[in-house]
Amino acid sequence: MRVLLVGAGGVGTAITRIAARREFFEGFVVADYDPARAEAAVASAGDPRGRFTARQIDASDEAAVTALLVAERCDVLLNATDPRFVMPLFRAALAGGAHYLDMAMSLSRPHPEHPHQECGTKLGDEQFAQVDAWTDAGRLALVGMGVEPGLSDVFARHAADELFDEIEEIGIRDGANLTVEGYEFAPSFNIWTTIEECLNPPVVYERGRGWFTTEPFSEPEVFDFPEGIGPVECVNVEHEEVLLIPRWIPARRVTFKYGLGEDFIGKLRTLHALGLDSTAPVPVRGEDGAAVRVSPRDVVAACLPDPATLGRKMTGKTCAGTWVKGTKDGRPREVYLYHVVDNQWSMREYGSQAVVWQTAVNPVVALELLAAGVWSGTGVLGPEALPARPFLDLLTAYGTPWGLREEV
């Protein structure tokens, strides 16, 4: 297998470090708009066999990405950019005859009249609209294959296959006790994506009603996370699992709740009130007096520290998991399937902070399963469309086991 990895930020760099320890691929082309970042990611992999090479690419240039896929004879494109570049990379992979993986799906657009009641364009709608083209081409687009979405969807598949006869509710619950020394506000993940998912109308799925939206930060609940993290207040946010899981797994209700905390929510509300969450460029006077147009959200991102650089100042653990309620053998059952990463461990073992490492490991596991033919398919599929047990077994073999907690 030859892989084109587009995006050499924190997650992309962690992908190279994880993949360098595996044998399933022949070559890994690491491409980024900034050639220095691509070269740094390749150097970071420390692969003595020279399987990693760096290239410069503009992720928005479909023709250039397609040409690079063909020139490098890549079998698959792994997208590690932010969601703005999903569709050009998705189309370029198909045009270049490659399979495709991403960790976040095509962007949503709120309903123009009833944003907190009805869905407009949903996450992934643009990708699923092209399912026939991918099926006809005999290629697979495996979408939402990070940690959340990704591993959380694999957990849902495992619950449906082995743990439950009937499922009443599936709820993704994400929480952490991470702290960053020396910063009043230092998000541990890409702030552009965080703003997108937290301030957009959250989506909920209910059988008989389908997908609908609510107010941001709705339905607060306290969830007790394992391995010493403890109770964290979680609220509804927009996330891909709610759009993916009901397509393949029968459940009465599906939600995603994120443990943000009151302080984080307050800062996000302030950004929204000031219009600093907007992606629409506004005119700003430059140093030479001429007006330049910049996106307020890009300015926020530029003012905050790069999450990939925070690892050595960060302490604590992050937990991604899937809570499932239903029946087994005629009896009620409730479980939480989870994956915890300790920042001290991920920094010591890989030099990557916990949140980006946890995101990065899952697409590498998926690539290995695809290379071995254990996972296969055509069209546009989410992780829950494929068998869960091989993924969970291989994840454990990577040295990062998952857990299961009986809730009742």
mmCIF file of all heavy atoms in Angstrom, residues 354-398:
data_model
loop_
_atom_site.group_PDB
_atom_site.id
_atom_site.type_symbol
_atom_site.label_atom_id
_atom_site.label_comp_id
_atom_site.label_asym_id
_atom_site.label_seq_id
_atom_site.Cartn_x
_atom_site.Cartn_y
_atom_site.Cartn_z
ATOM 1 N N ALA A 354 -1.971 13.884 23.989
ATOM 2 C CA ALA A 354 -2.944 12.799 24.051
ATOM 3 C C ALA A 354 -4.082 12.924 23.052
ATOM 4 O O ALA A 354 -4.474 11.926 22.417
ATOM 5 C CB ALA A 354 -3.510 12.709 25.473
ATOM 6 N N VAL A 355 -4.635 14.125 22.885
ATOM 7 C CA VAL A 355 -5.819 14.270 22.048
ATOM 8 C C VAL A 355 -5.476 14.033 20.579
ATOM 9 O O VAL A 355 -6.200 13.320 19.871
ATOM 10 C CB VAL A 355 -6.462 15.646 22.249
ATOM 11 C CG1 VAL A 355 -7.658 15.830 21.316
ATOM 12 C CG2 VAL A 355 -6.910 15.816 23.704
ATOM 13 N N VAL A 356 -4.374 14.613 20.098
ATOM 14 C CA VAL A 356 -4.016 14.403 18.699
ATOM 15 C C VAL A 356 -3.553 12.972 18.465
ATOM 16 O O VAL A 356 -3.829 12.379 17.416
ATOM 17 C CB VAL A 356 -2.970 15.423 18.208
ATOM 18 C CG1 VAL A 356 -3.500 16.835 18.301
ATOM 19 C CG2 VAL A 356 -1.664 15.303 18.943
ATOM 20 N N TRP A 357 -2.855 12.377 19.444
ATOM 21 C CA TRP A 357 -2.422 10.982 19.265
ATOM 22 C C TRP A 357 -3.625 10.048 19.209
ATOM 23 O O TRP A 357 -3.675 9.140 18.362
ATOM 24 C CB TRP A 357 -1.495 10.560 20.413
ATOM 25 C CG TRP A 357 -0.870 9.217 20.152
ATOM 26 C CD1 TRP A 357 0.319 8.968 19.529
ATOM 27 C CD2 TRP A 357 -1.428 7.930 20.474
ATOM 28 N NE1 TRP A 357 0.540 7.614 19.439
ATOM 29 C CE2 TRP A 357 -0.524 6.950 20.009
ATOM 30 C CE3 TRP A 357 -2.604 7.515 21.097
ATOM 31 C CZ2 TRP A 357 -0.752 5.584 20.146
ATOM 32 C CZ3 TRP A 357 -2.849 6.149 21.232
ATOM 33 C CH2 TRP A 357 -1.926 5.207 20.767
ATOM 34 N N GLN A 358 -4.601 10.261 20.088
ATOM 35 C CA GLN A 358 -5.782 9.405 20.104
ATOM 36 C C GLN A 358 -6.563 9.516 18.791
ATOM 37 O O GLN A 358 -7.116 8.530 18.304
ATOM 38 C CB GLN A 358 -6.684 9.775 21.284
ATOM 39 C CG GLN A 358 -7.831 8.804 21.501
ATOM 40 C CD GLN A 358 -8.716 9.230 22.646
ATOM 41 O OE1 GLN A 358 -9.093 10.405 22.754
ATOM 42 N NE2 GLN A 358 -9.054 8.308 23.523
ATOM 43 N N THR A 359 -6.585 10.708 18.214
ATOM 44 C CA THR A 359 -7.227 10.884 16.914
ATOM 45 C C THR A 359 -6.455 10.159 15.822
ATOM 46 O O THR A 359 -7.041 9.530 14.941
ATOM 47 C CB THR A 359 -7.334 12.377 16.573
ATOM 48 O OG1 THR A 359 -8.043 13.049 17.614
ATOM 49 C CG2 THR A 359 -8.040 12.595 15.253
ATOM 50 N N ALA A 360 -5.132 10.218 15.889
ATOM 51 C CA ALA A 360 -4.277 9.721 14.810
ATOM 52 C C ALA A 360 -4.182 8.209 14.746
ATOM 53 O O ALA A 360 -4.023 7.645 13.656
ATOM 54 C CB ALA A 360 -2.870 10.313 14.962
ATOM 55 N N VAL A 361 -4.241 7.533 15.868
ATOM 56 C CA VAL A 361 -3.992 6.091 15.851
ATOM 57 C C VAL A 361 -5.068 5.331 15.080
ATOM 58 O O VAL A 361 -4.780 4.320 14.422
ATOM 59 C CB VAL A 361 -3.858 5.536 17.296
ATOM 60 C CG1 VAL A 361 -5.172 5.606 18.060
ATOM 61 C CG2 VAL A 361 -3.309 4.109 17.281
ATOM 62 N N ASN A 362 -6.296 5.817 15.111
ATOM 63 C CA ASN A 362 -7.398 5.052 14.520
ATOM 64 C C ASN A 362 -7.361 4.968 12.994
ATOM 65 O O ASN A 362 -7.595 3.889 12.443
ATOM 66 C CB ASN A 362 -8.723 5.606 15.029
ATOM 67 C CG ASN A 362 -8.861 5.379 16.519
ATOM 68 O OD1 ASN A 362 -9.093 4.266 16.976
ATOM 69 N ND2 ASN A 362 -8.696 6.440 17.300
ATOM 70 N N PRO A 363 -7.076 6.045 12.256
ATOM 71 C CA PRO A 363 -6.943 5.874 10.811
ATOM 72 C C PRO A 363 -5.771 4.980 10.416
ATOM 73 O O PRO A 363 -5.830 4.305 9.386
ATOM 74 C CB PRO A 363 -6.769 7.296 10.284
ATOM 75 C CG PRO A 363 -6.370 8.110 11.457
ATOM 76 C CD PRO A 363 -7.022 7.466 12.627
ATOM 77 N N VAL A 364 -4.721 4.942 11.221
ATOM 78 C CA VAL A 364 -3.604 4.046 10.908
ATOM 79 C C VAL A 364 -4.045 2.592 11.074
ATOM 80 O O VAL A 364 -3.739 1.737 10.234
ATOM 81 C CB VAL A 364 -2.378 4.363 11.789
ATOM 82 C CG1 VAL A 364 -1.222 3.423 11.438
ATOM 83 C CG2 VAL A 364 -1.937 5.808 11.616
ATOM 84 N N VAL A 365 -4.774 2.293 12.139
ATOM 85 C CA VAL A 365 -5.323 0.951 12.320
ATOM 86 C C VAL A 365 -6.225 0.595 11.142
ATOM 87 O O VAL A 365 -6.153 -0.525 10.590
ATOM 88 C CB VAL A 365 -6.098 0.848 13.650
ATOM 89 C CG1 VAL A 365 -6.839 -0.486 13.761
ATOM 90 C CG2 VAL A 365 -5.154 1.018 14.840
ATOM 91 N N ALA A 366 -7.074 1.528 10.726
ATOM 92 C CA ALA A 366 -7.971 1.276 9.600
ATOM 93 C C ALA A 366 -7.190 1.008 8.312
ATOM 94 O O ALA A 366 -7.533 0.093 7.541
ATOM 95 C CB ALA A 366 -8.912 2.461 9.404
ATOM 96 N N LEU A 367 -6.132 1.785 8.066
ATOM 97 C CA LEU A 367 -5.307 1.548 6.876
ATOM 98 C C LEU A 367 -4.705 0.146 6.892
ATOM 99 O O LEU A 367 -4.654 -0.524 5.854
ATOM 100 C CB LEU A 367 -4.186 2.590 6.809
ATOM 101 C CG LEU A 367 -4.563 4.005 6.382
ATOM 102 C CD1 LEU A 367 -3.357 4.927 6.525
ATOM 103 C CD2 LEU A 367 -5.074 4.042 4.940
ATOM 104 N N GLU A 368 -4.256 -0.289 8.055
ATOM 105 C CA GLU A 368 -3.662 -1.629 8.132
ATOM 106 C C GLU A 368 -4.697 -2.710 7.842
ATOM 107 O O GLU A 368 -4.396 -3.702 7.165
ATOM 108 C CB GLU A 368 -3.026 -1.841 9.501
ATOM 109 C CG GLU A 368 -2.284 -3.157 9.606
ATOM 110 C CD GLU A 368 -1.253 -3.208 10.726
ATOM 111 O OE1 GLU A 368 -0.915 -2.138 11.295
ATOM 112 O OE2 GLU A 368 -0.779 -4.319 11.021
ATOM 113 N N LEU A 369 -5.917 -2.529 8.332
ATOM 114 C CA LEU A 369 -6.974 -3.499 8.036
ATOM 115 C C LEU A 369 -7.326 -3.504 6.549
ATOM 116 O O LEU A 369 -7.578 -4.563 5.968
ATOM 117 C CB LEU A 369 -8.215 -3.178 8.862
ATOM 118 C CG LEU A 369 -8.098 -3.387 10.375
ATOM 119 C CD1 LEU A 369 -9.359 -2.895 11.074
ATOM 120 C CD2 LEU A 369 -7.843 -4.851 10.720
ATOM 121 N N LEU A 370 -7.340 -2.335 5.922
ATOM 122 C CA LEU A 370 -7.599 -2.260 4.487
ATOM 123 C C LEU A 370 -6.472 -2.900 3.686
ATOM 124 O O LEU A 370 -6.711 -3.615 2.705
ATOM 125 C CB LEU A 370 -7.778 -0.806 4.065
ATOM 126 C CG LEU A 370 -9.040 -0.097 4.578
ATOM 127 C CD1 LEU A 370 -8.973 1.390 4.294
ATOM 128 C CD2 LEU A 370 -10.289 -0.702 3.951
ATOM 129 N N ALA A 371 -5.231 -2.656 4.096
ATOM 130 C CA ALA A 371 -4.086 -3.234 3.388
ATOM 131 C C ALA A 371 -4.105 -4.750 3.440
ATOM 132 O O ALA A 371 -3.709 -5.431 2.485
ATOM 133 C CB ALA A 371 -2.780 -2.700 3.988
ATOM 134 N N ALA A 372 -4.587 -5.297 4.566
ATOM 135 C CA ALA A 372 -4.637 -6.751 4.737
ATOM 136 C C ALA A 372 -5.886 -7.377 4.130
ATOM 137 O O ALA A 372 -6.005 -8.608 4.095
ATOM 138 C CB ALA A 372 -4.570 -7.092 6.225
ATOM 139 N N GLY A 373 -6.828 -6.552 3.674
ATOM 140 C CA GLY A 373 -8.074 -7.068 3.129
ATOM 141 C C GLY A 373 -9.076 -7.498 4.185
ATOM 142 O O GLY A 373 -10.116 -8.079 3.855
ATOM 143 N N VAL A 374 -8.781 -7.212 5.446
ATOM 144 C CA VAL A 374 -9.719 -7.552 6.520
ATOM 145 C C VAL A 374 -10.930 -6.631 6.471
ATOM 146 O O VAL A 374 -12.060 -7.049 6.712
ATOM 147 C CB VAL A 374 -9.020 -7.469 7.889
ATOM 148 C CG1 VAL A 374 -9.996 -7.737 9.036
ATOM 149 C CG2 VAL A 374 -7.857 -8.463 7.943
ATOM 150 N N TRP A 375 -10.687 -5.366 6.195
ATOM 151 C CA TRP A 375 -11.762 -4.421 5.892
ATOM 152 C C TRP A 375 -11.758 -4.168 4.394
ATOM 153 O O TRP A 375 -10.686 -4.007 3.782
ATOM 154 C CB TRP A 375 -11.537 -3.102 6.625
ATOM 155 C CG TRP A 375 -12.126 -3.054 8.006
ATOM 156 C CD1 TRP A 375 -12.625 -4.092 8.734
ATOM 157 C CD2 TRP A 375 -12.293 -1.877 8.813
ATOM 158 N NE1 TRP A 375 -13.079 -3.641 9.943
ATOM 159 C CE2 TRP A 375 -12.887 -2.298 10.028
ATOM 160 C CE3 TRP A 375 -11.992 -0.529 8.637
ATOM 161 C CZ2 TRP A 375 -13.192 -1.402 11.053
ATOM 162 C CZ3 TRP A 375 -12.284 0.359 9.647
ATOM 163 C CH2 TRP A 375 -12.889 -0.073 10.851
ATOM 164 N N SER A 376 -12.945 -4.130 3.800
ATOM 165 C CA SER A 376 -13.051 -3.831 2.374
ATOM 166 C C SER A 376 -14.460 -3.338 2.085
ATOM 167 O O SER A 376 -15.370 -3.488 2.905
ATOM 168 C CB SER A 376 -12.736 -5.069 1.525
ATOM 169 O OG SER A 376 -13.689 -6.100 1.783
ATOM 170 N N GLY A 377 -14.632 -2.772 0.908
ATOM 171 C CA GLY A 377 -15.941 -2.298 0.508
ATOM 172 C C GLY A 377 -15.816 -1.270 -0.586
ATOM 173 O O GLY A 377 -14.711 -0.866 -0.975
ATOM 174 N N THR A 378 -16.950 -0.846 -1.110
ATOM 175 C CA THR A 378 -17.008 0.217 -2.102
ATOM 176 C C THR A 378 -18.105 1.195 -1.702
ATOM 177 O O THR A 378 -18.986 0.879 -0.913
ATOM 178 C CB THR A 378 -17.294 -0.328 -3.508
ATOM 179 O OG1 THR A 378 -18.553 -1.012 -3.496
ATOM 180 C CG2 THR A 378 -16.199 -1.275 -3.971
ATOM 181 N N GLY A 379 -18.031 2.379 -2.260
ATOM 182 C CA GLY A 379 -19.010 3.395 -1.924
ATOM 183 C C GLY A 379 -18.523 4.296 -0.811
ATOM 184 O O GLY A 379 -17.318 4.405 -0.554
ATOM 185 N N VAL A 380 -19.446 4.945 -0.134
ATOM 186 C CA VAL A 380 -19.152 5.840 0.980
ATOM 187 C C VAL A 380 -19.663 5.167 2.247
ATOM 188 O O VAL A 380 -20.862 5.003 2.431
ATOM 189 C CB VAL A 380 -19.810 7.217 0.786
ATOM 190 C CG1 VAL A 380 -19.456 8.143 1.948
ATOM 191 C CG2 VAL A 380 -19.384 7.839 -0.541
ATOM 192 N N LEU A 381 -18.740 4.759 3.118
ATOM 193 C CA LEU A 381 -19.093 3.989 4.310
ATOM 194 C C LEU A 381 -18.545 4.665 5.557
ATOM 195 O O LEU A 381 -17.470 5.260 5.534
ATOM 196 C CB LEU A 381 -18.523 2.566 4.235
ATOM 197 C CG LEU A 381 -18.952 1.691 3.068
ATOM 198 C CD1 LEU A 381 -18.265 0.325 3.177
ATOM 199 C CD2 LEU A 381 -20.469 1.530 3.014
ATOM 200 N N GLY A 382 -19.286 4.529 6.657
ATOM 201 C CA GLY A 382 -18.776 4.900 7.964
ATOM 202 C C GLY A 382 -18.156 3.696 8.634
ATOM 203 O O GLY A 382 -18.352 2.546 8.203
ATOM 204 N N PRO A 383 -17.404 3.892 9.710
ATOM 205 C CA PRO A 383 -16.738 2.762 10.381
ATOM 206 C C PRO A 383 -17.702 1.700 10.880
ATOM 207 O O PRO A 383 -17.341 0.515 10.954
ATOM 208 C CB PRO A 383 -16.019 3.442 11.558
ATOM 209 C CG PRO A 383 -15.867 4.868 11.144
ATOM 210 C CD PRO A 383 -17.069 5.182 10.328
ATOM 211 N N GLU A 384 -18.948 2.090 11.231
ATOM 212 C CA GLU A 384 -19.894 1.120 11.764
ATOM 213 C C GLU A 384 -20.431 0.180 10.688
ATOM 214 O O GLU A 384 -21.143 -0.783 11.008
ATOM 215 C CB GLU A 384 -21.045 1.821 12.468
ATOM 216 C CG GLU A 384 -21.786 2.864 11.674
ATOM 217 C CD GLU A 384 -21.077 4.189 11.705
ATOM 218 O OE1 GLU A 384 -21.224 4.922 12.684
ATOM 219 O OE2 GLU A 384 -20.375 4.503 10.727
ATOM 220 N N ALA A 385 -20.091 0.431 9.425
ATOM 221 C CA ALA A 385 -20.501 -0.466 8.348
ATOM 222 C C ALA A 385 -19.575 -1.672 8.212
ATOM 223 O O ALA A 385 -19.864 -2.586 7.431
ATOM 224 C CB ALA A 385 -20.540 0.304 7.028
ATOM 225 N N LEU A 386 -18.481 -1.697 8.965
ATOM 226 C CA LEU A 386 -17.462 -2.730 8.847
ATOM 227 C C LEU A 386 -17.320 -3.478 10.170
ATOM 228 O O LEU A 386 -17.686 -2.958 11.226
ATOM 229 C CB LEU A 386 -16.133 -2.079 8.447
ATOM 230 C CG LEU A 386 -16.182 -1.333 7.106
ATOM 231 C CD1 LEU A 386 -14.964 -0.458 6.926
ATOM 232 C CD2 LEU A 386 -16.334 -2.313 5.951
ATOM 233 N N PRO A 387 -16.800 -4.711 10.137
ATOM 234 C CA PRO A 387 -16.735 -5.509 11.372
ATOM 235 C C PRO A 387 -15.842 -4.860 12.429
ATOM 236 O O PRO A 387 -14.728 -4.415 12.143
ATOM 237 C CB PRO A 387 -16.185 -6.853 10.898
ATOM 238 C CG PRO A 387 -15.564 -6.604 9.566
ATOM 239 C CD PRO A 387 -16.328 -5.469 8.963
ATOM 240 N N ALA A 388 -16.341 -4.850 13.674
ATOM 241 C CA ALA A 388 -15.652 -4.140 14.749
ATOM 242 C C ALA A 388 -14.540 -4.945 15.400
ATOM 243 O O ALA A 388 -13.508 -4.388 15.788
ATOM 244 C CB ALA A 388 -16.675 -3.734 15.819
ATOM 245 N N ARG A 389 -14.740 -6.234 15.574
ATOM 246 C CA ARG A 389 -13.788 -7.032 16.350
ATOM 247 C C ARG A 389 -12.365 -6.960 15.797
ATOM 248 O O ARG A 389 -11.407 -6.777 16.570
ATOM 249 C CB ARG A 389 -14.282 -8.469 16.445
ATOM 250 C CG ARG A 389 -13.317 -9.424 17.142
ATOM 251 C CD ARG A 389 -12.969 -8.979 18.555
ATOM 252 N NE ARG A 389 -14.072 -9.115 19.485
ATOM 253 C CZ ARG A 389 -13.988 -8.880 20.783
ATOM 254 N NH1 ARG A 389 -12.831 -8.433 21.301
ATOM 255 N NH2 ARG A 389 -15.023 -9.027 21.570
ATOM 256 N N PRO A 390 -12.140 -7.095 14.477
ATOM 257 C CA PRO A 390 -10.750 -6.994 13.988
ATOM 258 C C PRO A 390 -10.113 -5.652 14.323
ATOM 259 O O PRO A 390 -8.914 -5.601 14.635
ATOM 260 C CB PRO A 390 -10.888 -7.189 12.476
ATOM 261 C CG PRO A 390 -12.176 -7.920 12.299
ATOM 262 C CD PRO A 390 -13.069 -7.423 13.381
ATOM 263 N N PHE A 391 -10.892 -4.584 14.266
ATOM 264 C CA PHE A 391 -10.344 -3.263 14.588
ATOM 265 C C PHE A 391 -9.948 -3.190 16.052
ATOM 266 O O PHE A 391 -8.839 -2.743 16.390
ATOM 267 C CB PHE A 391 -11.376 -2.178 14.269
ATOM 268 C CG PHE A 391 -10.830 -0.781 14.405
ATOM 269 C CD1 PHE A 391 -10.418 -0.070 13.288
ATOM 270 C CD2 PHE A 391 -10.708 -0.166 15.654
ATOM 271 C CE1 PHE A 391 -9.899 1.215 13.410
ATOM 272 C CE2 PHE A 391 -10.190 1.107 15.784
ATOM 273 C CZ PHE A 391 -9.783 1.796 14.651
ATOM 274 N N LEU A 392 -10.829 -3.623 16.946
ATOM 275 C CA LEU A 392 -10.547 -3.529 18.378
ATOM 276 C C LEU A 392 -9.363 -4.410 18.774
ATOM 277 O O LEU A 392 -8.554 -4.021 19.622
ATOM 278 C CB LEU A 392 -11.800 -3.902 19.171
ATOM 279 C CG LEU A 392 -12.989 -2.951 18.975
ATOM 280 C CD1 LEU A 392 -14.211 -3.474 19.715
ATOM 281 C CD2 LEU A 392 -12.652 -1.539 19.417
ATOM 282 N N ASP A 393 -9.254 -5.572 18.155
ATOM 283 C CA ASP A 393 -8.112 -6.452 18.446
ATOM 284 C C ASP A 393 -6.798 -5.814 17.988
ATOM 285 O O ASP A 393 -5.785 -5.880 18.699
ATOM 286 C CB ASP A 393 -8.299 -7.806 17.762
ATOM 287 C CG ASP A 393 -9.387 -8.654 18.413
ATOM 288 O OD1 ASP A 393 -9.821 -8.321 19.530
ATOM 289 O OD2 ASP A 393 -9.812 -9.645 17.789
ATOM 290 N N LEU A 394 -6.820 -5.197 16.801
ATOM 291 C CA LEU A 394 -5.594 -4.592 16.288
ATOM 292 C C LEU A 394 -5.233 -3.338 17.085
ATOM 293 O O LEU A 394 -4.048 -3.073 17.334
ATOM 294 C CB LEU A 394 -5.752 -4.256 14.796
ATOM 295 C CG LEU A 394 -4.499 -3.765 14.072
ATOM 296 C CD1 LEU A 394 -3.334 -4.746 14.232
ATOM 297 C CD2 LEU A 394 -4.793 -3.523 12.595
ATOM 298 N N LEU A 395 -6.237 -2.573 17.505
ATOM 299 C CA LEU A 395 -5.973 -1.409 18.346
ATOM 300 C C LEU A 395 -5.240 -1.822 19.619
ATOM 301 O O LEU A 395 -4.274 -1.177 20.042
ATOM 302 C CB LEU A 395 -7.287 -0.707 18.698
ATOM 303 C CG LEU A 395 -7.184 0.559 19.556
ATOM 304 C CD1 LEU A 395 -6.511 1.690 18.779
ATOM 305 C CD2 LEU A 395 -8.572 0.997 20.040
ATOM 306 N N THR A 396 -5.675 -2.917 20.220
ATOM 307 C CA THR A 396 -4.997 -3.433 21.415
ATOM 308 C C THR A 396 -3.568 -3.855 21.085
ATOM 309 O O THR A 396 -2.639 -3.601 21.870
ATOM 310 C CB THR A 396 -5.784 -4.619 21.998
ATOM 311 O OG1 THR A 396 -7.109 -4.177 22.337
ATOM 312 C CG2 THR A 396 -5.107 -5.178 23.232
ATOM 313 N N ALA A 397 -3.377 -4.456 19.909
ATOM 314 C CA ALA A 397 -2.033 -4.865 19.499
ATOM 315 C C ALA A 397 -1.110 -3.673 19.284
ATOM 316 O O ALA A 397 0.119 -3.818 19.359
ATOM 317 C CB ALA A 397 -2.117 -5.705 18.220
ATOM 318 N N TYR A 398 -1.673 -2.505 19.032
ATOM 319 C CA TYR A 398 -0.871 -1.292 18.907
ATOM 320 C C TYR A 398 -0.395 -0.787 20.273
ATOM 321 O O TYR A 398 0.310 0.216 20.355
ATOM 322 C CB TYR A 398 -1.694 -0.185 18.237
ATOM 323 C CG TYR A 398 -1.635 -0.147 16.724
ATOM 324 C CD1 TYR A 398 -1.913 -1.279 15.962
ATOM 325 C CD2 TYR A 398 -1.330 1.021 16.047
ATOM 326 C CE1 TYR A 398 -1.890 -1.239 14.577
ATOM 327 C CE2 TYR A 398 -1.304 1.076 14.663
ATOM 328 C CZ TYR A 398 -1.582 -0.058 13.937
ATOM 329 O OH TYR A 398 -1.551 -0.009 12.560
#
